[in-house]
Amino acid sequence: MATEDAPEETTVSDRGMVTIPASFRRRLDIEPGDKLRWDIDEDGDLAVEVVRQRYGAFEDDDMKAPLGGDGLDTHDVAGHEDDPAFAEDI
């Protein structure tokens, strides 16, 4: 990645950990929970790819079933809505 700015440096800790500079995290939209995929090519050049791991398994799910209402309604998924023993207004 070529940039006009001076290169940034970080230090590898004794446990092999490295801090990603804040300017890189902002520019690449790296957030907590994201993963980095590391690779070295035949020439010995290191490549790092950001793998997004955002907040929840269904965050980008377009297949969500509509339940109707404004989201504040309850839904009787067990099928007891007509059974008086399960009436909510007793």
Side-chain angles (χ1 to χ4, degrees), residues 3-85:
T3 180
E4 300 298 323
D5 298 329
E8 299 232 17
E9 292 183 356
T10 59
T11 302
V12 179
S13 75
D14 57 350
R15 296 184 61 203
M17 300 170 76
V18 178
T19 300
I20 304 167
S23 62
F24 286 17
R25 292 192 313 265
R26 283 190 297 271
R27 183 174 177 180
L28 298 173
D29 189 31
I30 298 173
E31 295 184 1
D34 288 347
K35 295 183 180 186
L36 301 179
R37 184 173 295 140
W38 303 79
D39 190 33
I40 301 174
D41 66 15
E42 288 111 25
D43 296 329
D45 293 327
L46 175 67
V48 181
E49 176 186 359
V50 179
V51 181
R52 307 268 181 244
Q53 298 289 323
R54 300 295 163 94
Y55 312 100
F58 304 105
E59 184 76 20
D60 297 328
D61 184 11
D62 293 333
M63 303 292 288
K64 294 176 185 160
L67 296 176
D70 60 4
L72 300 176
D73 300 332
T74 59
H75 299 279
D76 183 9
V77 294
H80 298 297
E81 57 197 23
D82 295 325
D83 188 337

